[in-house]
PDB file of all heavy atoms in Angstrom:
ATOM      1  N   GLU A  30     -12.915  12.683  -6.636  1.00 80.00           N
ATOM      2  CA  GLU A  30     -12.573  14.028  -7.083  1.00 80.00           C
ATOM      3  C   GLU A  30     -13.766  14.875  -7.510  1.00 80.00           C
ATOM      4  O   GLU A  30     -13.603  16.038  -7.796  1.00 80.00           O
ATOM      5  CB  GLU A  30     -11.540  13.969  -8.208  1.00 80.00           C
ATOM      6  CG  GLU A  30     -11.998  13.159  -9.392  1.00 80.00           C
ATOM      7  CD  GLU A  30     -11.926  13.933 -10.683  1.00 80.00           C
ATOM      8  OE1 GLU A  30     -11.134  14.866 -10.772  1.00 80.00           O
ATOM      9  OE2 GLU A  30     -12.699  13.587 -11.595  1.00 80.00           O
ATOM     10  N   HIS A  31     -14.961  14.289  -7.565  1.00 85.00           N
ATOM     11  CA  HIS A  31     -16.072  15.164  -7.944  1.00 85.00           C
ATOM     12  C   HIS A  31     -16.595  15.988  -6.780  1.00 85.00           C
ATOM     13  O   HIS A  31     -17.427  16.860  -6.963  1.00 85.00           O
ATOM     14  CB  HIS A  31     -17.195  14.375  -8.599  1.00 85.00           C
ATOM     15  CG  HIS A  31     -17.821  13.350  -7.718  1.00 85.00           C
ATOM     16  ND1 HIS A  31     -17.218  12.148  -7.434  1.00 85.00           N
ATOM     17  CD2 HIS A  31     -18.981  13.348  -7.045  1.00 85.00           C
ATOM     18  CE1 HIS A  31     -18.002  11.451  -6.634  1.00 85.00           C
ATOM     19  NE2 HIS A  31     -19.074  12.149  -6.384  1.00 85.00           N
ATOM     20  N   PHE A  32     -16.091  15.732  -5.582  1.00 88.00           N
ATOM     21  CA  PHE A  32     -16.451  16.588  -4.449  1.00 88.00           C
ATOM     22  C   PHE A  32     -15.482  17.752  -4.344  1.00 88.00           C
ATOM     23  O   PHE A  32     -14.319  17.640  -4.734  1.00 88.00           O
ATOM     24  CB  PHE A  32     -16.404  15.797  -3.147  1.00 88.00           C
ATOM     25  CG  PHE A  32     -17.549  14.853  -2.984  1.00 88.00           C
ATOM     26  CD1 PHE A  32     -17.352  13.484  -3.073  1.00 88.00           C
ATOM     27  CD2 PHE A  32     -18.834  15.318  -2.747  1.00 88.00           C
ATOM     28  CE1 PHE A  32     -18.406  12.606  -2.927  1.00 88.00           C
ATOM     29  CE2 PHE A  32     -19.892  14.443  -2.607  1.00 88.00           C
ATOM     30  CZ  PHE A  32     -19.673  13.091  -2.701  1.00 88.00           C
ATOM     31  N   VAL A  37     -16.586  17.996   2.409  1.00 90.00           N
ATOM     32  CA  VAL A  37     -17.865  17.914   1.711  1.00 90.00           C
ATOM     33  C   VAL A  37     -18.221  16.452   1.470  1.00 90.00           C
ATOM     34  O   VAL A  37     -19.371  16.040   1.632  1.00 90.00           O
ATOM     35  CB  VAL A  37     -17.800  18.683   0.378  1.00 90.00           C
ATOM     36  CG1 VAL A  37     -19.070  18.477  -0.418  1.00 90.00           C
ATOM     37  CG2 VAL A  37     -17.582  20.151   0.639  1.00 90.00           C
ATOM     38  N   HIS A  40     -19.491  15.009   4.627  1.00 92.00           N
ATOM     39  CA  HIS A  40     -20.815  15.574   4.881  1.00 92.00           C
ATOM     40  C   HIS A  40     -21.855  14.848   4.032  1.00 92.00           C
ATOM     41  O   HIS A  40     -22.924  14.470   4.520  1.00 92.00           O
ATOM     42  CB  HIS A  40     -20.781  17.065   4.556  1.00 92.00           C
ATOM     43  CG  HIS A  40     -22.101  17.742   4.644  1.00 92.00           C
ATOM     44  ND1 HIS A  40     -22.906  17.672   5.767  1.00 92.00           N
ATOM     45  CD2 HIS A  40     -22.786  18.501   3.754  1.00 92.00           C
ATOM     46  CE1 HIS A  40     -24.016  18.356   5.556  1.00 92.00           C
ATOM     47  NE2 HIS A  40     -23.971  18.864   4.344  1.00 92.00           N
ATOM     48  N   ALA A  41     -21.500  14.639   2.762  1.00 94.00           N
ATOM     49  CA  ALA A  41     -22.427  13.949   1.858  1.00 94.00           C
ATOM     50  C   ALA A  41     -22.701  12.539   2.356  1.00 94.00           C
ATOM     51  O   ALA A  41     -23.852  12.085   2.370  1.00 94.00           O
ATOM     52  CB  ALA A  41     -21.847  13.910   0.451  1.00 94.00           C
ATOM     53  N   THR A  52     -35.528   6.224   5.894  1.00 95.00           N
ATOM     54  CA  THR A  52     -36.359   5.282   5.136  1.00 95.00           C
ATOM     55  C   THR A  52     -36.546   3.984   5.927  1.00 95.00           C
ATOM     56  O   THR A  52     -37.609   3.378   5.885  1.00 95.00           O
ATOM     57  CB  THR A  52     -35.737   4.921   3.771  1.00 95.00           C
ATOM     58  OG1 THR A  52     -34.534   4.179   3.977  1.00 95.00           O
ATOM     59  CG2 THR A  52     -35.447   6.136   2.950  1.00 95.00           C
ATOM     60  N   LEU A  55     -39.241   4.488   8.409  1.00 94.00           N
ATOM     61  CA  LEU A  55     -40.558   4.479   7.782  1.00 94.00           C
ATOM     62  C   LEU A  55     -40.987   3.072   7.409  1.00 94.00           C
ATOM     63  O   LEU A  55     -42.175   2.741   7.444  1.00 94.00           O
ATOM     64  CB  LEU A  55     -40.548   5.372   6.550  1.00 94.00           C
ATOM     65  CG  LEU A  55     -40.665   6.833   6.948  1.00 94.00           C
ATOM     66  CD1 LEU A  55     -40.087   7.742   5.895  1.00 94.00           C
ATOM     67  CD2 LEU A  55     -42.121   7.169   7.204  1.00 94.00           C
ATOM     68  N   GLY A  59     -44.593   1.318   9.001  1.00 92.00           N
ATOM     69  CA  GLY A  59     -45.731   0.624   8.407  1.00 92.00           C
ATOM     70  C   GLY A  59     -46.214  -0.497   9.309  1.00 92.00           C
ATOM     71  O   GLY A  59     -47.418  -0.667   9.537  1.00 92.00           O
ATOM     72  N   LEU A  60     -45.274  -1.250   9.871  1.00 92.00           N
ATOM     73  CA  LEU A  60     -45.652  -2.333  10.770  1.00 92.00           C
ATOM     74  C   LEU A  60     -46.229  -1.792  12.072  1.00 92.00           C
ATOM     75  O   LEU A  60     -47.176  -2.353  12.633  1.00 92.00           O
ATOM     76  CB  LEU A  60     -44.433  -3.206  11.071  1.00 92.00           C
ATOM     77  CG  LEU A  60     -44.092  -4.223   9.996  1.00 92.00           C
ATOM     78  CD1 LEU A  60     -42.786  -4.918  10.316  1.00 92.00           C
ATOM     79  CD2 LEU A  60     -45.205  -5.258   9.893  1.00 92.00           C
ATOM     80  N   TYR A  67     -54.551  -3.067  14.839  1.00 92.00           N
ATOM     81  CA  TYR A  67     -55.125  -4.306  15.368  1.00 92.00           C
ATOM     82  C   TYR A  67     -55.170  -4.329  16.885  1.00 92.00           C
ATOM     83  O   TYR A  67     -56.008  -4.997  17.478  1.00 92.00           O
ATOM     84  CB  TYR A  67     -54.365  -5.508  14.807  1.00 92.00           C
ATOM     85  CG  TYR A  67     -54.602  -5.645  13.334  1.00 92.00           C
ATOM     86  CD1 TYR A  67     -53.577  -5.539  12.418  1.00 92.00           C
ATOM     87  CD2 TYR A  67     -55.904  -5.799  12.857  1.00 92.00           C
ATOM     88  CE1 TYR A  67     -53.811  -5.613  11.061  1.00 92.00           C
ATOM     89  CE2 TYR A  67     -56.151  -5.869  11.503  1.00 92.00           C
ATOM     90  CZ  TYR A  67     -55.105  -5.771  10.604  1.00 92.00           C
ATOM     91  OH  TYR A  67     -55.361  -5.823   9.262  1.00 92.00           O
ATOM     92  N   TYR A  71     -58.477  -5.421  18.643  1.00 91.00           N
ATOM     93  CA  TYR A  71     -58.495  -6.598  19.525  1.00 91.00           C
ATOM     94  C   TYR A  71     -57.709  -6.339  20.799  1.00 91.00           C
ATOM     95  O   TYR A  71     -56.682  -6.981  21.038  1.00 91.00           O
ATOM     96  CB  TYR A  71     -57.875  -7.809  18.820  1.00 91.00           C
ATOM     97  CG  TYR A  71     -58.459  -8.117  17.480  1.00 91.00           C
ATOM     98  CD1 TYR A  71     -57.744  -7.837  16.313  1.00 91.00           C
ATOM     99  CD2 TYR A  71     -59.722  -8.694  17.362  1.00 91.00           C
ATOM    100  CE1 TYR A  71     -58.272  -8.123  15.072  1.00 91.00           C
ATOM    101  CE2 TYR A  71     -60.259  -8.983  16.116  1.00 91.00           C
ATOM    102  CZ  TYR A  71     -59.529  -8.691  14.972  1.00 91.00           C
ATOM    103  OH  TYR A  71     -60.060  -8.973  13.740  1.00 91.00           O
ATOM    104  N   GLY A 149     -51.212 -16.149  11.451  1.00 79.00           N
ATOM    105  CA  GLY A 149     -52.311 -16.448  10.546  1.00 79.00           C
ATOM    106  C   GLY A 149     -52.849 -17.857  10.643  1.00 79.00           C
ATOM    107  O   GLY A 149     -53.154 -18.356  11.712  1.00 79.00           O
ATOM    108  N   LYS A 150     -52.939 -18.508   9.492  1.00 81.00           N
ATOM    109  CA  LYS A 150     -53.612 -19.807   9.457  1.00 81.00           C
ATOM    110  C   LYS A 150     -52.774 -20.902  10.125  1.00 81.00           C
ATOM    111  O   LYS A 150     -53.257 -21.998  10.354  1.00 81.00           O
ATOM    112  CB  LYS A 150     -53.936 -20.188   8.012  1.00 81.00           C
ATOM    113  CG  LYS A 150     -52.748 -20.691   7.212  1.00 81.00           C
ATOM    114  CD  LYS A 150     -53.207 -21.360   5.930  1.00 81.00           C
ATOM    115  CE  LYS A 150     -51.994 -21.845   5.148  1.00 81.00           C
ATOM    116  NZ  LYS A 150     -52.256 -22.274   3.806  1.00 81.00           N
ATOM    117  N   HIS A 151     -51.510 -20.586  10.402  1.00 83.00           N
ATOM    118  CA  HIS A 151     -50.654 -21.602  11.024  1.00 83.00           C
ATOM    119  C   HIS A 151     -50.791 -21.633  12.543  1.00 83.00           C
ATOM    120  O   HIS A 151     -50.160 -22.428  13.215  1.00 83.00           O
ATOM    121  CB  HIS A 151     -49.189 -21.346  10.650  1.00 83.00           C
ATOM    122  CG  HIS A 151     -48.994 -21.170   9.167  1.00 83.00           C
ATOM    123  ND1 HIS A 151     -49.031 -22.231   8.302  1.00 83.00           N
ATOM    124  CD2 HIS A 151     -48.823 -20.063   8.408  1.00 83.00           C
ATOM    125  CE1 HIS A 151     -48.868 -21.779   7.056  1.00 83.00           C
ATOM    126  NE2 HIS A 151     -48.754 -20.467   7.104  1.00 83.00           N
ATOM    127  N   MET A 164     -53.435 -12.733  14.921  1.00 89.00           N
ATOM    128  CA  MET A 164     -52.977 -11.478  14.341  1.00 89.00           C
ATOM    129  C   MET A 164     -51.798 -10.935  15.131  1.00 89.00           C
ATOM    130  O   MET A 164     -50.825 -10.430  14.567  1.00 89.00           O
ATOM    131  CB  MET A 164     -54.132 -10.469  14.368  1.00 89.00           C
ATOM    132  CG  MET A 164     -53.868  -9.208  13.618  1.00 89.00           C
ATOM    133  SD  MET A 164     -53.585  -9.520  11.887  1.00 89.00           S
ATOM    134  CE  MET A 164     -55.240  -9.914  11.372  1.00 89.00           C
ATOM    135  N   THR A 167     -48.842 -12.789  14.057  1.00 91.00           N
ATOM    136  CA  THR A 167     -48.430 -12.359  12.720  1.00 91.00           C
ATOM    137  C   THR A 167     -47.521 -11.140  12.840  1.00 91.00           C
ATOM    138  O   THR A 167     -46.421 -11.094  12.280  1.00 91.00           O
ATOM    139  CB  THR A 167     -49.667 -11.984  11.879  1.00 91.00           C
ATOM    140  OG1 THR A 167     -50.500 -13.123  11.753  1.00 91.00           O
ATOM    141  CG2 THR A 167     -49.243 -11.509  10.496  1.00 91.00           C
ATOM    142  N   LEU A 171     -43.539 -10.863  12.045  1.00 93.00           N
ATOM    143  CA  LEU A 171     -43.109  -9.958  10.975  1.00 93.00           C
ATOM    144  C   LEU A 171     -42.136  -8.906  11.497  1.00 93.00           C
ATOM    145  O   LEU A 171     -41.086  -8.667  10.909  1.00 93.00           O
ATOM    146  CB  LEU A 171     -44.327  -9.262  10.362  1.00 93.00           C
ATOM    147  CG  LEU A 171     -45.153 -10.108   9.403  1.00 93.00           C
ATOM    148  CD1 LEU A 171     -46.402  -9.353   8.982  1.00 93.00           C
ATOM    149  CD2 LEU A 171     -44.327 -10.474   8.175  1.00 93.00           C
TER     150      LEU A 171
ATOM    151  N   VAL B 153     -23.216  13.416  -9.787  1.00 95.00           N
ATOM    152  CA  VAL B 153     -24.043  13.366  -8.590  1.00 95.00           C
ATOM    153  C   VAL B 153     -23.152  12.969  -7.410  1.00 95.00           C
ATOM    154  O   VAL B 153     -22.005  12.553  -7.597  1.00 95.00           O
ATOM    155  CB  VAL B 153     -25.202  12.363  -8.736  1.00 95.00           C
ATOM    156  CG1 VAL B 153     -26.210  12.856  -9.732  1.00 95.00           C
ATOM    157  CG2 VAL B 153     -24.678  11.001  -9.128  1.00 95.00           C
ATOM    158  N   ALA B 154     -23.695  13.051  -6.205  1.00 95.00           N
ATOM    159  CA  ALA B 154     -22.858  12.801  -5.028  1.00 95.00           C
ATOM    160  C   ALA B 154     -22.344  11.360  -4.996  1.00 95.00           C
ATOM    161  O   ALA B 154     -21.198  11.105  -4.661  1.00 95.00           O
ATOM    162  CB  ALA B 154     -23.628  13.123  -3.756  1.00 95.00           C
ATOM    163  N   PHE B 155     -23.211  10.414  -5.337  1.00 95.00           N
ATOM    164  CA  PHE B 155     -22.804   9.006  -5.253  1.00 95.00           C
ATOM    165  C   PHE B 155     -22.952   8.337  -6.617  1.00 95.00           C
ATOM    166  O   PHE B 155     -23.964   7.682  -6.893  1.00 95.00           O
ATOM    167  CB  PHE B 155     -23.648   8.260  -4.218  1.00 95.00           C
ATOM    168  CG  PHE B 155     -23.693   8.933  -2.876  1.00 95.00           C
ATOM    169  CD1 PHE B 155     -24.895   9.365  -2.353  1.00 95.00           C
ATOM    170  CD2 PHE B 155     -22.531   9.136  -2.138  1.00 95.00           C
ATOM    171  CE1 PHE B 155     -24.950   9.986  -1.109  1.00 95.00           C
ATOM    172  CE2 PHE B 155     -22.570   9.759  -0.905  1.00 95.00           C
ATOM    173  CZ  PHE B 155     -23.784  10.186  -0.394  1.00 95.00           C
ATOM    174  N   THR B 227     -24.863  19.210  -1.275  1.00 95.00           N
ATOM    175  CA  THR B 227     -23.410  19.285  -1.126  1.00 95.00           C
ATOM    176  C   THR B 227     -22.647  19.639  -2.397  1.00 95.00           C
ATOM    177  O   THR B 227     -21.451  19.893  -2.314  1.00 95.00           O
ATOM    178  CB  THR B 227     -22.845  17.940  -0.624  1.00 95.00           C
ATOM    179  OG1 THR B 227     -23.122  16.938  -1.594  1.00 95.00           O
ATOM    180  CG2 THR B 227     -23.452  17.542   0.695  1.00 95.00           C
ATOM    181  N   MET B 228     -23.295  19.650  -3.541  1.00 92.00           N
ATOM    182  CA  MET B 228     -22.505  19.768  -4.769  1.00 92.00           C
ATOM    183  C   MET B 228     -22.727  21.075  -5.534  1.00 92.00           C
ATOM    184  O   MET B 228     -22.300  21.201  -6.677  1.00 92.00           O
ATOM    185  CB  MET B 228     -22.820  18.602  -5.721  1.00 92.00           C
ATOM    186  CG  MET B 228     -22.797  17.245  -5.098  1.00 92.00           C
ATOM    187  SD  MET B 228     -21.176  16.526  -5.032  1.00 92.00           S
ATOM    188  CE  MET B 228     -20.764  16.398  -6.734  1.00 92.00           C
ATOM    189  N   VAL B 253     -38.156   9.451  -1.018  1.00 95.00           N
ATOM    190  CA  VAL B 253     -37.462   8.871   0.130  1.00 95.00           C
ATOM    191  C   VAL B 253     -38.448   8.572   1.263  1.00 95.00           C
ATOM    192  O   VAL B 253     -38.347   7.553   1.932  1.00 95.00           O
ATOM    193  CB  VAL B 253     -36.344   9.825   0.597  1.00 95.00           C
ATOM    194  CG1 VAL B 253     -35.805   9.417   1.940  1.00 95.00           C
ATOM    195  CG2 VAL B 253     -35.232   9.835  -0.434  1.00 95.00           C
ATOM    196  N   LEU B 254     -39.432   9.455   1.450  1.00 93.00           N
ATOM    197  CA  LEU B 254     -40.315   9.282   2.604  1.00 93.00           C
ATOM    198  C   LEU B 254     -41.489   8.346   2.351  1.00 93.00           C
ATOM    199  O   LEU B 254     -42.001   7.734   3.277  1.00 93.00           O
ATOM    200  CB  LEU B 254     -40.852  10.642   3.052  1.00 93.00           C
ATOM    201  CG  LEU B 254     -39.783  11.594   3.599  1.00 93.00           C
ATOM    202  CD1 LEU B 254     -40.390  12.928   3.968  1.00 93.00           C
ATOM    203  CD2 LEU B 254     -39.094  10.988   4.813  1.00 93.00           C
ATOM    204  N   PRO B 257     -40.671   3.635   1.234  1.00 94.00           N
ATOM    205  CA  PRO B 257     -40.526   2.511   2.161  1.00 94.00           C
ATOM    206  C   PRO B 257     -41.865   1.904   2.563  1.00 94.00           C
ATOM    207  O   PRO B 257     -41.963   0.696   2.794  1.00 94.00           O
ATOM    208  CB  PRO B 257     -39.842   3.134   3.376  1.00 94.00           C
ATOM    209  CG  PRO B 257     -39.160   4.329   2.880  1.00 94.00           C
ATOM    210  CD  PRO B 257     -39.967   4.834   1.731  1.00 94.00           C
ATOM    211  N   LEU B 261     -42.814  -2.039   2.173  1.00 93.00           N
ATOM    212  CA  LEU B 261     -43.291  -2.949   3.201  1.00 93.00           C
ATOM    213  C   LEU B 261     -44.602  -3.593   2.776  1.00 93.00           C
ATOM    214  O   LEU B 261     -44.811  -4.799   2.920  1.00 93.00           O
ATOM    215  CB  LEU B 261     -43.501  -2.179   4.511  1.00 93.00           C
ATOM    216  CG  LEU B 261     -44.079  -3.041   5.611  1.00 93.00           C
ATOM    217  CD1 LEU B 261     -42.979  -3.841   6.263  1.00 93.00           C
ATOM    218  CD2 LEU B 261     -44.828  -2.216   6.624  1.00 93.00           C
ATOM    219  N   PHE B 272     -48.367 -17.264   2.390  1.00 86.00           N
ATOM    220  CA  PHE B 272     -48.427 -17.953   3.690  1.00 86.00           C
ATOM    221  C   PHE B 272     -49.715 -17.704   4.474  1.00 86.00           C
ATOM    222  O   PHE B 272     -49.825 -18.144   5.614  1.00 86.00           O
ATOM    223  CB  PHE B 272     -47.238 -17.532   4.558  1.00 86.00           C
ATOM    224  CG  PHE B 272     -45.916 -17.702   3.887  1.00 86.00           C
ATOM    225  CD1 PHE B 272     -45.153 -16.596   3.554  1.00 86.00           C
ATOM    226  CD2 PHE B 272     -45.436 -18.966   3.578  1.00 86.00           C
ATOM    227  CE1 PHE B 272     -43.916 -16.749   2.926  1.00 86.00           C
ATOM    228  CE2 PHE B 272     -44.209 -19.123   2.951  1.00 86.00           C
ATOM    229  CZ  PHE B 272     -43.450 -18.018   2.623  1.00 86.00           C
ATOM    230  N   SER B 273     -50.651 -16.962   3.904  1.00 84.00           N
ATOM    231  CA  SER B 273     -51.906 -16.679   4.612  1.00 84.00           C
ATOM    232  C   SER B 273     -51.694 -16.159   6.019  1.00 84.00           C
ATOM    233  O   SER B 273     -52.157 -16.737   6.992  1.00 84.00           O
ATOM    234  CB  SER B 273     -52.780 -17.933   4.683  1.00 84.00           C
ATOM    235  OG  SER B 273     -52.989 -18.443   3.417  1.00 84.00           O
ATOM    236  N   PHE B 274     -50.988 -15.047   6.139  1.00 85.00           N
ATOM    237  CA  PHE B 274     -50.819 -14.424   7.455  1.00 85.00           C
ATOM    238  C   PHE B 274     -52.142 -13.877   7.987  1.00 85.00           C
ATOM    239  O   PHE B 274     -52.354 -13.805   9.183  1.00 85.00           O
ATOM    240  CB  PHE B 274     -49.837 -13.259   7.371  1.00 85.00           C
ATOM    241  CG  PHE B 274     -48.423 -13.675   7.153  1.00 85.00           C
ATOM    242  CD1 PHE B 274     -47.538 -12.823   6.531  1.00 85.00           C
ATOM    243  CD2 PHE B 274     -47.971 -14.906   7.599  1.00 85.00           C
ATOM    244  CE1 PHE B 274     -46.218 -13.184   6.344  1.00 85.00           C
ATOM    245  CE2 PHE B 274     -46.650 -15.281   7.410  1.00 85.00           C
ATOM    246  CZ  PHE B 274     -45.771 -14.417   6.772  1.00 85.00           C
ATOM    247  N   GLY B 275     -52.980 -13.447   7.075  1.00 83.00           N
ATOM    248  CA  GLY B 275     -54.267 -12.922   7.493  1.00 83.00           C
ATOM    249  C   GLY B 275     -54.292 -11.448   7.831  1.00 83.00           C
ATOM    250  O   GLY B 275     -55.301 -10.939   8.302  1.00 83.00           O
ATOM    251  N   LEU B 276     -53.214 -10.735   7.575  1.00 86.00           N
ATOM    252  CA  LEU B 276     -53.167  -9.324   7.979  1.00 86.00           C
ATOM    253  C   LEU B 276     -54.294  -8.495   7.363  1.00 86.00           C
ATOM    254  O   LEU B 276     -54.871  -7.642   8.019  1.00 86.00           O
ATOM    255  CB  LEU B 276     -51.840  -8.712   7.559  1.00 86.00           C
ATOM    256  CG  LEU B 276     -50.754  -8.507   8.602  1.00 86.00           C
ATOM    257  CD1 LEU B 276     -49.642  -7.671   8.005  1.00 86.00           C
ATOM    258  CD2 LEU B 276     -51.276  -7.856   9.859  1.00 86.00           C
ATOM    259  N   ARG B 281     -59.791 -13.814   8.337  1.00 82.00           N
ATOM    260  CA  ARG B 281     -58.903 -14.132   9.456  1.00 82.00           C
ATOM    261  C   ARG B 281     -58.811 -12.984  10.447  1.00 82.00           C
ATOM    262  O   ARG B 281     -57.843 -12.854  11.194  1.00 82.00           O
ATOM    263  CB  ARG B 281     -57.498 -14.442   8.952  1.00 82.00           C
ATOM    264  CG  ARG B 281     -57.470 -15.623   8.056  1.00 82.00           C
ATOM    265  CD  ARG B 281     -56.089 -16.134   7.796  1.00 82.00           C
ATOM    266  NE  ARG B 281     -56.164 -17.193   6.822  1.00 82.00           N
ATOM    267  CZ  ARG B 281     -56.564 -18.415   7.117  1.00 82.00           C
ATOM    268  NH1 ARG B 281     -56.885 -18.729   8.348  1.00 82.00           N
ATOM    269  NH2 ARG B 281     -56.658 -19.326   6.174  1.00 82.00           N
ATOM    270  N   GLY B 282     -59.771 -12.105  10.387  1.00 82.00           N
ATOM    271  CA  GLY B 282     -59.773 -11.004  11.347  1.00 82.00           C
ATOM    272  C   GLY B 282     -58.952  -9.808  10.876  1.00 82.00           C
ATOM    273  O   GLY B 282     -58.765  -8.859  11.619  1.00 82.00           O
ATOM    274  N   ASP B 284     -57.927  -6.527   8.262  1.00 89.00           N
ATOM    275  CA  ASP B 284     -58.689  -5.355   7.864  1.00 89.00           C
ATOM    276  C   ASP B 284     -58.212  -4.855   6.500  1.00 89.00           C
ATOM    277  O   ASP B 284     -57.141  -4.278   6.387  1.00 89.00           O
ATOM    278  CB  ASP B 284     -58.479  -4.263   8.925  1.00 89.00           C
ATOM    279  CG  ASP B 284     -59.300  -3.028   8.622  1.00 89.00           C
ATOM    280  OD1 ASP B 284     -60.020  -3.031   7.600  1.00 89.00           O
ATOM    281  OD2 ASP B 284     -59.214  -2.072   9.401  1.00 89.00           O
TER     282      ASP B 284
END
Side-chain angles (χ1 to χ4, degrees):
Chain A
E30 57 125 25
H31 62 284
F32 286 109
V37 174
H40 174 53
T52 67
L55 281 156
L60 279 173
Y67 292 117
Y71 307 106
K150 77 166 180 191
H151 309 285
M164 189 61 73
T167 299
L171 283 174
Chain B
V153 291
F155 308 119
T227 62
M228 312 275 298
V253 168
L254 294 178
L261 176 82
F272 307 113
S273 305
F274 289 153
L276 258 190
R281 298 193 185 283
D284 183 0

